[in-house]
Each structure stands twice: as C-alpha cells, then as structure tokens.
Amino acid sequence: MLECLKECRNEVRSQDLDIKAAAILKLVYLEMFGHDMSWASFHVLEVMSSPKFLQKRVGYLAATQSFTIATDVLMLTTNLIKKDLSSSYPPETALAINGTSHIASPSLARDLSPDLLSKLSHTSPYIRKKAVLVLYKCFLQSPELLRTSWPRLRECLNDEDGSVVSATVNVVCELARRNPRNYLPLAPQLFRLLTNRENNWMTIKLIKLFATLTPLEPRLIKKLIPPIINLIKTTHAMSLLYECINGLISGGLLAGIQETDEGEELASVCVTKLRGFLVAGVAEDSNLKYVGLLALTKLVATHAHLVSVHRSVILDCVDDADISIRYRALELVVGMVNSDSLPDVVGRLIRQLKPNTNRAEEESTEPEAAGDESEDEDMEEEVMHPRRTRGEAMPLELPEEYKRAVIASVVEMCSRDMYANVGDFEWYLDVLVQLIRYAPPASASTVGDEVEGEEEGQGESDGQDVGEAIGKELRNVAVRVRSVRREAVRYAEMLVGKREGMFPVAGGGGRWVLGAAGWIVGEYASLLAEPNGTLSALLHPSSLLLPADILAIYIQAIPKIYAVLAGAENAPWTPPRKSTVALLTSKIIKFLEPLAISPNLEVQERAVEFLELFRLAGEAVAEQPATAEDADEQYDAPLLITQAIPGMFLGLELNPVAPRAQRKVPLPPGLDLDEPINPYLHQLLLESEQDSRFAGKDEDDGFREWYYQRAVPKPASIPASLGIDNAASKNLSAVASYQSGDLKEEDYLDKDILERRKRERWERNRDDPFYIGGAVVPGSDEVDLDSIPVMKLELGDVNIPTVPQPQPRISQPKKKREKVVIAADEGIGNEGDESSAEETAEKSRRKPRKGLLQVDSSGLMGYSLDEPSDSTAGRDEDVKAARKEVERFRAEMERAAERVRAKASTEEQKEKKKKKKKKRERGDGERKKKKKKTGDAGEGVGSEAKNKLKKDKKG
C-alpha cells in the first residue's frame, strides 16, 4: 500500500494529464479505504480544468469526495465552475452543477448563484432540473439567496417538463419544513398539481407539503379531503396509499374533521386500508407491515375505537418473527387497549415471557432427501432463513430488551389515567407478581449498588431492572386502593419471605422490587399475616448482600414491625413475653452492628440511629422484671417499647403527594437555606484529612477501595422464570387462539396463583346456599354433608296452575363494574396546569431532529421571503450604513480622480502647446538654415563668376 501511494505521488506530478487523471482515480479509490488525499487537492483542480470530458469527470469525482469547506484551493474553483457552467456541451454543464452541489460553500454559493439561475431557462430539461436541485444546497449555505432567487424558482412550477416541476416541488417541500408560512401563497398552484397526478412521486411530495401547510391554514382541509379520498380509493401503489394516510394524520386533516360524520367515515377507510398492510405483509413484504403499524400508532391517538376493532390482526403482529415489527405492534397495543380488552391483551403479552411459549410460532422444514440440493443451495437457504434447519425447528429467542419492553408496556397499560382500565385490582396484583417471576436478568449496570443511566434504546426500560417499575406499581396500589391494601401487603410479605426462591443470586432479575416490598411490610405492619416470619426474613444474614438502597429500606422497616410485635400495651408483661422481646431485640442489634460501619452513608446513618435505640430497649427489657403467675405485684412492659418506639411511627396516614407540591410550600420565616449548618465544617474536614494521613494503611484500604474503585459487576445468568414450573413448561401445548376466545387465566398465570384464587373464592362462598361449588379445593377441609343447611318447602297452600303460563323473556342486565376508590395526589393549587406547562416547555427545549440525510437546515428556520426578520434587522441596518459609507468613499475617490484627471489634462495640454511651440520653432530654424544654405550657395556661385570675369578682364 505504501508503494502504491508513493507511485501515485509521483504520477500526479506528471505533466501528462492522462497519467495525472489515472493517478487521481487511484487516490479516489484508496480514499474510500481511509487513506487521506487532501494533499493532492491542487492536482485535482488541474484535472478538473482539463479540456477532455473524461478527465474532467475524474477531477470532479475527486473534488466531490475529498473537498471540504476548509479546503484551501476551493476559492480557485469559482472561475473554473463558471466556465464549465457556460459550456455549450450539456454533459459538461451537468457535471459542473453536480460538483457544485457537493462542494458548495457560502462564498461559492453567492458567486455561482447568478450562473445557476440562468440555467433555469436552459433549453435542456435535464439541466433545468439539476439547476433547481442545486439551488437548495445553495440556500442551505447562504439563506439570503432564497429571497432573491425565489421568483425565478417559483416560475419552474409552470415548466412544461414534468421532471422540472417534480424537482421544484421537492425543493419547496424541503423549504416548507423549516418555515411553511412563506409558501402558503402557492396553495392554489400546488392544488392544481395534486389534482393532475402526473406521477406518484410528485403526488407524495405534494401531500407532505400540504401536511405542513394545513396547520397554518385550516380552510385547506375541506379543499384537500375529496382528492385525497379519491387517491386512497383508486390508487394501487402502496407507497402512495401510505403517504396519503400519513398526510391525513400528520397534517391534522383527520383531527380537524374528527367530530363530523365525514371524518369518521374517512378514518374508517384509512384504518381498513392499513389493515390490508398488515395482512399483505404476512406473506409478501414485512416493510408493509412495519409502515402499517407505524401509521396505526399515529392514528390511535385520535381514533382508538376504530383501531381496536382490528386488534386481532394487530395482536398477531406481536407474535411476528421480526423483532422490529414486535416493537411497533407493542407500541400500538399500548395505545388501543381499553377496559374490556385489557385482560386478554395482558395475557397475550405475558405468555411471551414464559419459557418455550413460542412453539406454535416456530418454523420447521420437512427432512429433505440427500442429493436433492447442492451445497451452494443449502448455504443460501441457511443465509436467507437462519432459523430453519433440516428436519428440526429452532425456537425464537426473544432479546432481553424486548422482554423488558413487554413488562413496561403491561405496567403502562394498567396504570394509565390512574388505573382507568383496571376493574379488578386483585387480578392486577396477580399480574404484577407474575411479571416479577418472568423478569429478565438484570443488566450489568444494575447488579451493583447503584443504578446508572444508560442511553435509550427501543424499550423504555432498557438497561434497567424492571423490578423497580413493578415495585412502584405495587406500592401505588397499596397506598391508593384501600380496598385491596391487605392483599398488597400479603404479596409484599410473600416477596420478602420467599426472596431466596424467587430471586437467585446470579442474575437477580426483578430483585429491585424488594425495596417497595420492604416499604409496604414496614408501613402497613399491622396488616401482616405473619409478622414474626417477615421480621425474620428481614433480619436474615443474606439481607446484608442486598444493594444499599434496598438495605436502607429494610433497616427502616425493622423497627416498625418490632413495634407491632413488642408494643402491645395491654398484654401482660410475663416471663415468656419478656424472653421473646429480649430475643427479638438481640437479633436486631446483632443485625445492625455490622451495618454501623457500612461505607454507604445512608445505611450507616440509619443503622447507627436504630442501633442505639435498640440497645436502650434491650437494657430496658433486661431491667424490667416480669410478672410471675402467682405474684401479687403486677409489672408493666417498659414504656420505651410500648409507647416511645411505636410513637415514632404513629400519626397521620401517608397519602400520595403531587410531584411539584413541595415547591409551592412557603419557606418559614427566619430560615436561610444558603446558610451553612456548621460554619467550621471546612476546618473539620481539613483536620480529618490530616488525621487520615497518619492513619494506618490497613485502616484506610477498605474505605478508599469502596469509594474510589468501581465494583466489578457480577455476570448475568438465567432469569428466575426458568426455575419456575420447569416441568410444565416442557410439555406446554400450543398457544390458544386469541380470535377463538379461548384465552383464560390458566394460560398466563402460575398454578400457585390460580390455586390460591380458587381457595379464596371457595372460602368466600362456602356459606352461600346459592353457590354451586366444584370439587374440593386442595388443602382445604372435606365437606361435611350433614352441615349443609336444609330448607323446608311448604307447597300445600300454593295453587299450581295445570297449564304453565308463558313468561316474557327478561334480558339479563349487564354486570356493572365495581367502583373502586383510588386516592389522588395531594397538592397545593392546580398541579395539572403547571405540569402540562412544564412538559410543553421541555418539548420546546428539545433539540430539533435532523433529516435522514443529516443535512443541517437550521439556517432556513424562520427566514421570511417578504420582509427581513427581526433577528436580521440590525444586521441589515449595519449593511446599509456600510454601503452608504462605501458610497461616500467612492464619491470622494471619484472626485479626487476627476481632479487628478483635470490636472493631468491641463498639464497635457500645456505639454502639447510646448511641443507645438518647439515644433514650430524647430520648423522656423530649419527654414532659416535652408535659406542660409541657399544664400551661401548663391553667393558662392556669384563670387566664382565674378572672380572668373575679373581674371578674364585681367587676361
């Protein structure tokens, strides 16, 4: 590779353009593998300027791939691209336009915009289309070009060529995503294009464009509904059908006519068409099923009653082999569920969490004879269908994230709108316990003592233990629903007592529910069925291995249960009671002693406080004598046990409080929250640090190891659900059909829960003479036939008619839903308005999403075509002032230049006069010289003649 790069470096320096172009093409190929070619940017520019089209194309390819806004030679490409844009050869012009779309910078866009606008009137539709598209890239780089170029761009909507019109609609659609108000005047023209239906792609873009315009102009809704309904009913293109329905939903067209009969009819048509996506996608294309579920998820917010009609088809998608379709179907099911369909939907989802419940969905192939297919065909089959093997079926393994999403969805469906869909809270408690048993293993981030946040995935509770959400619901039901509080306490007691069986040490799926369970058994300790067993479970040595948050709750719950067991004031203080209380106190002290030096500050603080309290209680119990059986003197229990400790937890009942109620509580006068509690805290910390320097190394190792070294997470193992009913799961039959109505509680609840429900129902109805019981419940006493009450019927005085009279048939009234009182949140003032306002503010502060191509178009946000925006008004004034200053300097320079020119012309005239005078003087001198020469010549001739005459005379 180095030799090849060295060879390319030598070849690009060649004077032969063919060799140079070949070297640039090699560098382009190597650049795709990560080798930098920015050093050859000037050589690329040389190839771009080649007169040969093939070489020029190589140069533009290299420029589009290697040039950036920071490239030094980019400013040298302006004149080159201008020359290529004005070429008479259309492919060369198209090549320049394509290159501009990739390397355009703000300055390059401003310089090339006049040339690009001139190409909008080119004779070739191919050039006009490319010029329209490249203008959008120029607008992104220099938004001020939009105002000057918009009139010419708008004229392209009336172009005679359909491809140019489609490209213009595409650009306008992208521009309208940022500021749709600028393009409302185009509504009549766009509506005409929508009704003409030249091609499906342009129709899809027009529907998206109208979806952004209708929120600004509601009157467009009535105008757009007839053509869109016609498109939905007549088109055979699935893409166009989906975009029509999506445009109706996202553009607010269905919401605008929601209360009318026309709106209901249109919504019904849309839901029916989308149902076809789900049915057709089963055997043809999973993408259709995905987009259909996506559109139904948007539609369920306004027309949930129409979507719920097709819940049988939607629930089939929950069992789809494609996990992405399962996620979308799960999101849709959460939105469409109601009070009638909640038990069936929850049962369908819980069955997915059971081990090996997907036997009916597994795909298998028949054994094939050897030699029927070649090895290549076998490999292709394995690649295309990885779940299929020859002669056997592989089970579908659901990812742990999906299982967490299922549990979170069940909790969300049941708790929505303050449990509006839950009619039987005992059933809901059974479901919560069932979810705990099927909770997936905890992730690595939640195995330690603290739960750290992770990035959001497809599931709502990815990376977290679902036991925390289930425990929150268990606590909410116990606090809010007073009628089932005893059942909730019994479930919490079961979770705390059977912790070792339900939550294995490895994995720990659902273990965080123990925090809520510990709070419930402590807060409602008087409702415990076996407080001694619960306290023993809390004091078990294995509790020391729990996370610090759960352990702190356990420490708080221990004295509450202790107050119930030992704080009976009316009970006599007998030796057995004294020994029992002393034993309990010693157990608690033994449990709290190692926690008094815990590295966790919360656990340490609570353990130290209660440890001192129970040490005092132990001393009081030991010093207080017990009352003997035959003694005359009676002794009461210590007041510390009967009054002091119970008095710490007695008072007003805890009620749910609104999350934002605390901020409305006024501060008491004289309270300064900014004032330090201890003004010498800084000095104490410095002294403690100095003391720690002289401390032994062994004493400091444990402290620093806990605080400054991250704990190694334990490897996640199998969930607790795999150890429950393992024998029954092996012989699990096929899943019952949802459409046939065979879904029962036996399909998704464990046997122990069903047996307990049967036993409770039998106990509740055992004295009811009108209750026809079944078989004897296991674990209960045999039925005594003699104890059955017999009623004597006296029929002597009753007149029985010989012919029975026909009685009118009376329809049985529908069983009314039992009304359950649910406690609401307590707050000060109107908490709902503030909550909604804060949620709206939070949504407005969210970062805007980029498009699929990751193009940053934030510069076009709020850019007006008519008047400058307020944000740019000051800048425009500065520009105007600068222009005036430039004009003033230009005028002064022109006047100075005029003075210079005038002076120069004056001097020139003087020089001309001098030259003429000199020339004239030179001419006169020459004439005089000529005359003198002529005279001298005459005189010479005459003198010669005279001399000759004199000689003749003398001779």
Side-chain angles (χ1 to χ4, degrees), residues 374-410:
S374 63
E375 295 182 358
D376 295 339
E377 292 177 350
D378 295 342
M379 183 178 298
E380 181 181 359
E381 180 70 17
E382 292 179 2
V383 172
M384 298 302 295
H385 303 283
R387 293 177 54 222
R388 295 180 181 178
T389 56
R390 291 173 175 267
E392 60 180 3
M394 299 296 293
L396 178 62
E397 294 293 338
L398 296 177
E400 305 297 339
E401 291 80 5
Y402 177 74
K403 294 179 181 179
R404 296 188 184 98
V406 168
I407 294 176
S409 300
V410 171

Side-chain angles (χ1 to χ4, degrees), residues 353 399-412 428 431-443 445-447 451 459-474 503 507-514 516 719-721:
L353 302 176
E400 305 297 339
E401 291 80 5
Y402 177 74
K403 294 179 181 179
R404 296 188 184 98
V406 168
I407 294 176
S409 300
V410 171
V411 172
E412 182 182 355
Y428 183 42
V431 168
L432 291 177
V433 174
Q434 191 69 58
L435 292 177
I436 295 171
R437 294 181 176 182
Y438 293 151
S443 60
S445 61
T446 57
V447 173
V451 181
E460 292 184 0
S461 54
D462 292 353
Q464 295 184 2
D465 187 7
V466 293
E468 187 175 359
I470 299 174
K472 181 181 178 182
E473 283 303 305
L474 188 63
F503 309 104
R511 186 176 55 174
W512 284 89
V513 75
L514 295 176
S721 58

Side-chain angles (χ1 to χ4, degrees), residues 142-447:
S142 183
E144 60 271 9
L145 295 175
L146 180 59
R147 187 178 293 114
T148 58
S149 307
W150 174 243
R152 293 291 306 276
L153 185 63
R154 183 174 181 176
E155 293 175 359
C156 295
L157 290 173
N158 299 323
D159 196 277
E160 58 185 8
D161 188 80
S163 62
V164 179
V165 177
S166 179
T168 309
V169 170
N170 193 6
V171 172
V172 174
C173 182
E174 294 298 322
L175 292 173
R177 290 176 61 248
R178 289 301 180 184
N179 192 7
R181 192 174 296 277
N182 290 334
Y183 311 99
L184 276 175
L186 296 178
Q189 198 170 0
L190 297 175
F191 182 78
R192 177 179 57 81
L193 295 174
L194 179 64
T195 54
N196 290 339
R197 290 184 59 185
E198 296 184 4
N199 59 75
N200 290 340
W201 176 252
M202 188 175 68
T203 305
I204 290 173
K205 286 294 181 180
L206 287 170
I207 293 173
K208 290 184 177 180
L209 182 55
F210 277 115
T212 60
L213 297 180
T214 47
L216 301 176
E217 185 55 63
R219 293 178 294 178
L220 288 173
I221 296 177
K222 294 184 179 180
K223 192 75 174 177
L224 291 173
I225 286 178
I228 292 181
I229 292 178
N230 185 29
L231 285 173
I232 293 175
K233 293 182 177 180
T234 58
T235 184
H236 298 285
M238 303 299 285
S239 59
L240 181 58
L241 177 60
Y242 170 74
E243 290 298 338
C244 289
I245 299 175
N246 188 36
L248 289 175
I249 300 171
S250 59
L253 276 71
L254 283 177
I257 57 174
Q258 185 176 0
E259 303 298 333
T260 61
D261 296 338
E262 185 181 8
E264 290 295 320
E265 181 182 358
L266 179 58
S268 178
V269 172
C270 293
V271 173
T272 304
K273 291 290 185 179
L274 291 175
R275 185 184 186 278
F277 279 63
L278 306 183
V279 176
V282 173
E284 297 179 5
D285 190 3
S286 297
N287 295 328
L288 294 179
K289 185 182 294 188
Y290 185 87
V291 297
L293 292 171
L294 187 64
L296 286 173
T297 304
K298 299 177 182 179
L299 189 62
V300 76
T302 55
H303 298 81
H305 60 285
L306 295 177
V307 177
S308 61
V309 175
H310 306 281
R311 65 173 178 266
S312 59
V313 180
I314 297 172
L315 284 174
D316 287 339
C317 298
V318 177
D319 299 328
D320 196 89
D322 192 346
I323 195 64
S324 61
I325 294 178
R326 288 198 179 208
Y327 272 112
R328 285 299 175 188
L330 189 62
E331 184 180 358
L332 177 58
V333 165
V334 173
M336 74 174 187
V337 74
N338 52 32
S339 58
D340 296 331
S341 61
L342 179 64
D344 296 332
V345 173
V346 169
R348 186 74 172 263
L349 294 177
I350 291 180
R351 282 184 304 172
Q352 291 188 356
L353 302 176
K354 278 189 175 183
N356 302 328
T357 54
N358 295 311
R359 294 286 185 183
E361 300 172 358
E362 296 167 1
E363 299 178 3
S364 60
T365 56
E366 295 295 333
E368 301 175 1
D372 291 345
E373 295 181 354
S374 63
E375 295 182 358
D376 295 339
E377 292 177 350
D378 295 342
M379 183 178 298
E380 181 181 359
E381 180 70 17
E382 292 179 2
V383 172
M384 298 302 295
H385 303 283
R387 293 177 54 222
R388 295 180 181 178
T389 56
R390 291 173 175 267
E392 60 180 3
M394 299 296 293
L396 178 62
E397 294 293 338
L398 296 177
E400 305 297 339
E401 291 80 5
Y402 177 74
K403 294 179 181 179
R404 296 188 184 98
V406 168
I407 294 176
S409 300
V410 171
V411 172
E412 182 182 355
M413 285 187 294
C414 296
S415 62
R416 178 184 299 165
D417 298 332
M418 199 62 70
Y419 308 102
N421 296 327
V422 178
D424 186 1
F425 278 92
E426 294 183 4
W427 167 84
Y428 183 42
L429 292 174
D430 293 335
V431 168
L432 291 177
V433 174
Q434 191 69 58
L435 292 177
I436 295 171
R437 294 181 176 182
Y438 293 151
S443 60
S445 61
T446 57
V447 173

Side-chain angles (χ1 to χ4, degrees), residues 449 499 511-512 514-515 518 537-559 591-592 594-596 598-600 602-604 606-607 610:
D449 290 344
R499 181 180 71 243
R511 186 176 55 174
W512 284 89
L514 295 176
L538 294 176
L539 298 176
H540 196 271
S542 61
S543 300
L544 300 175
L545 303 177
L546 292 174
D549 295 340
I550 300 177
L551 190 56
I553 298 174
Y554 272 28
I555 296 174
Q556 193 74 20
I558 287 172
F591 178 79
L592 295 177
L595 298 177
S598 173
N600 186 274
E602 186 69 23
V603 174
Q604 184 186 96
R606 298 190 183 190
F610 289 117

Side-chain angles (χ1 to χ4, degrees), residues 539 562 577-588 621:
L539 298 176
Y562 177 84
R577 183 187 175 191
K578 178 180 178 180
S579 59
T580 302
V581 174
L583 180 60
L584 288 177
T585 308
S586 61
K587 285 184 178 180
I588 295 174
V621 170

